[in-house]
Structure formats: structure tokens, C-alpha cells
Amino acid sequence: MPIGAIAGIAGGLLQARGARKAASAQTRAANQDLAFQTRVYDEGVARVQPYYNSGTAANAAYQFENGLAPRPEGYTGFSETPGQRYLREQGLAGIQASAAAQGGLFSAATMGDLGRANTDYADTFREQYLNRLAGTADTGLQAASMQGTTGANAAAGMSNAFAARGNAQSAGAVGQSNAITGGIENALSGFNYQRNLAGGARGGINGNGSAFNGLFGGRGLGGFV
């Protein structure tokens, strides 16, 4: 086989190998990017999950306290804190002390004052409790929104990684095919050039397969049939 033909085929094989290696490198990079996007998403969701859980529970309790939903499983309802109980007791004791000083401790007016004060304390404490529930539920809503944003970002990143991996593999396959085809074309061109220099009479690849005869050791295509 002429040196030019050998060089053409060798060059095509080297180019094909280079295209394959480049595609493999790009595929590995895309896979690493995909793994990174997945890890970032998982870590992001894990960080806000506790706030999402507490927010969901608080919203369910809030809906129940306002008569909008059934009692959540395991929920015991509103109860005063020790600090609130102390404030109530001190307030009622103050009303009683004032009434006793005026000689009307057991009067109807004193009983009315005590009843209204007791109701006011209960309403105030319950309103504070509902506000806390609403605040915790809002925190859960923000956590859900963050999870949604994290998911959207991860989806975009993963989509890009998948696209990059597909493009790399496609480009590698095309590059290898082009390189091998180019190598064969260069081999044939080199063979024809050398035959022309040597004064070959049959004129390259158009002379009844002479290029293939020389390229494959003079046997022609019939040697492989």
C-alpha cells in the first residue's frame, strides 16, 4: 500500500480517536454537572423541609381553630401558657382586691367585671395563639416556595446537563464518522496522486477500480469476495 494511503487512513483513525476522547470528556463533565445539580436540589430541600413540615401542621391547626377544617390528628387545641395564666390570675386578683376595698367583693358589678375580664383575657390569648399559628404557617408557605424554586432551578440545570451529554455523544459519533470518511478519502487521494506521479495509465479511482486494487494490495475488491 502506498505511503500516502497509509498516512491518510492513519490520520483518519487518529482524528476518530480524538473525537471519541473529546466526546467522552464532555459526557463525563455533563454527568458530573447532573450529579451536582441533583445534590444541590436534595440538600436545598432537606434544609427547608422542617419549616415546611411545621408550617403545614400550623396551617392545619389554624384552619381547625377557625372552624374551616376537621381537627388534625394528634392536635390538642389551644391552651394557655403558664405566663398567660399568671397574667389572668393577677388581673382578676386586682379586680377582686379593688372591689373588696370598696366593700363590693361579692356584688353583681364585681361579678360582671370578673366575667368580662376573664373573657377579654381568653380572647386576647387565643388571638395571640392564632397569630403565632398564622406566622408559622406563613413560614411553611415560604419554605414550599423555596422548594419550588429549588426544584425549578434543578430542573433547568439537569435539562442543560442532559442536553450537553446528548450533544457530546452525538457530536462524538459524527466526528468519528467524519474522521474515518475523511481518512479514506485522503488515502484514495494520496494513492491517486502517487500513481499519477508514477505515470499510471488507468487514471485513479475512475480506471475500473485501480485505486482500490492498489489500496488493497493489488487484489482489487475481488480479493474480498
Side-chain angles (χ1 to χ4, degrees):
M1 181 183 294
I3 296 178
I6 296 175
I9 294 176
L13 293 176
L14 288 175
Q15 291 179 9
R17 182 186 180 195
R20 183 172 62 252
K21 291 178 66 176
S24 297
Q26 293 174 353
T27 299
R28 286 195 300 271
N31 288 337
Q32 290 173 353
D33 184 30
L34 182 60
F36 173 74
Q37 294 289 344
T38 302
R39 179 167 59 83
V40 169
Y41 170 75
D42 291 341
E43 291 178 355
V45 170
R47 289 190 184 99
V48 299
Q49 190 66 41
Y51 303 97
Y52 173 81
N53 293 340
S54 61
T56 300
N59 182 66
Y62 183 84
Q63 298 296 324
F64 167 74
E65 292 291 347
N66 285 281
L68 301 175
R71 179 189 293 272
E73 183 178 356
Y75 176 64
T76 58
F78 165 70
S79 60
E80 291 182 358
T81 66
Q84 290 173 335
R85 190 175 302 111
Y86 174 78
L87 290 176
R88 180 198 292 271
E89 292 172 353
Q90 290 299 305
L92 296 179
I95 293 174
Q96 291 174 324
S98 176
Q102 298 175 18
L105 178 60
F106 298 108
S107 65
T110 299
M111 295 298 104
D113 289 342
L114 289 172
R116 285 189 294 274
N118 198 48
T119 299
D120 289 344
Y121 278 117
D123 289 342
T124 298
F125 295 156
R126 186 172 184 277
E127 186 66 24
Q128 292 174 349
Y129 175 73
L130 290 177
N131 289 338
R132 291 197 300 274
L133 285 179
T136 304
D138 186 63
T139 299
L141 178 61
Q142 295 178 31
S145 178
M146 292 177 64
Q147 286 183 342
T149 300
T150 300
N153 292 339
M158 290 178 184
S159 177
N160 291 336
F162 278 123
R165 186 170 65 183
N167 291 337
Q169 293 173 346
S170 176
V174 172
Q176 291 179 63
S177 176
N178 290 341
I180 293 174
T181 301
I184 294 174
E185 291 175 350
N186 290 336
L188 294 175
S189 296
F191 172 76
N192 288 331
Y193 177 73
Q194 290 183 358
R195 280 189 63 86
N196 289 334
L197 287 180
R202 284 180 290 181
I205 61 173
N206 294 321
N208 298 321
S210 60
F212 286 99
N213 291 338
L215 185 60
F216 295 106
R219 292 180 297 169
L221 295 178
F224 294 93
V225 178

